[in-house]
Amino acid sequence: MADTRNADLTYAADDYIVYIAAANTAPPTGMADPGTGWTCLGWVTTDGGAFKMEEEKKDLKAAGSLEPIRTLRTGSTKTIDVTFEEALNPYVRALYDNVPLSDLEPVSGIAAYDFPDRPNDLKYAFLFDSTDGDKRMRHYAPNGAVDSRGDEKAGTEDAAQVQMTMKFYKGATAPALRRVIDYGGVDVSGFFA
């Protein structure tokens, strides 16, 4: 068996950026800059984003067998957890408080708004970009929403942070989540020979 280990294929993100746009906004080609329609959500913690994929399955059992005879894959939920450093960023605030961005438009420098009695079903397109030198990775979600929110704490010992988990749904013309990898010039052709 050939030794295919390559230290250049390790990945330690040195930056992590989250962008938001209207639901079903088309992604940039490859790893191109997002451009018009996409807005950066500001600084995130050094933890970056935590991607999770949970698969739901059901085992079918039958008489005469102690083992399942078949496993049905019934669902796959994809989420990304991010903790944002800019707790007052209007887009971050709107996502966390589950209100339309227009509710945060300040009048004389002050924004005042009511939390919804019933949760709003606000959906957006997201890009999650990370880099490691010349290597880059991107997750694109055409139709995502905040699924859960961490506790909000304004204290005197540290800057307030806002933690959210975004959950992804199939878009109008795209799957729920897409990954793009730029190997940064590292030759991976040996893996496909």
Side-chain angles (χ1 to χ4, degrees):
M1 181 178 248
D3 183 353
T4 59
R5 293 181 289 180
N6 183 341
D8 290 334
L9 292 178
T10 60
Y11 194 81
D14 55 21
D15 200 0
Y16 195 86
I17 304 172
V18 181
Y19 298 93
I20 190 172
N24 293 302
T25 297
T29 303
M31 291 296 299
D33 287 335
T36 306
W38 292 93
T39 300
C40 176
L41 292 179
W43 291 104
V44 302
T45 62
T46 56
D47 292 338
F51 171 68
K52 297 177 185 175
M53 184 168 43
E54 294 181 23
E55 295 184 348
E56 300 165 24
K57 50 193 164 200
K58 179 181 179 183
D59 288 337
L60 297 179
K61 297 182 180 183
S65 175
L66 297 177
E67 299 294 326
I69 61 168
R70 183 174 175 200
T71 300
L72 300 175
R73 307 281 180 198
T74 59
S76 178
T77 302
K78 296 158 188 75
T79 62
I80 294 181
D81 295 329
V82 179
T83 302
F84 296 91
E85 291 281 11
E86 297 181 26
L88 295 183
N89 178 310
Y91 278 88
V92 171
R93 216 44 285 155
L95 281 171
Y96 187 85
D97 292 341
N98 195 25
V99 297
L101 179 65
S102 59
D103 287 3
L104 273 80
E105 188 170 349
V107 176
S108 300
I110 296 174
Y113 53 94
D114 297 322
F115 286 84
D117 290 331
R118 267 184 318 189
N120 290 317
D121 188 24
L122 302 174
K123 299 262 178 45
Y124 304 94
F126 291 95
L127 290 175
F128 302 87
D129 286 357
S130 63
T131 59
D132 176 7
D134 291 337
K135 298 173 285 196
R136 299 185 295 170
M137 260 197 296
R138 167 175 284 162
H139 286 99
Y140 163 67
N143 191 22
V146 176
D147 185 54
S148 66
R149 295 156 176 84
D151 295 338
E152 182 178 2
K153 180 182 174 187
T156 59
E157 293 183 13
D158 203 354
Q161 299 172 340
V162 179
Q163 184 277 327
M164 291 178 269
T165 300
M166 277 65 83
K167 185 175 183 179
F168 310 114
Y169 307 90
K170 185 176 177 165
T173 60
L177 196 63
R178 180 171 198 232
R179 185 191 307 260
V180 177
I181 301 172
D182 178 347
Y183 290 100
V186 177
D187 182 11
V188 294
S189 60
F191 288 90
F192 305 98

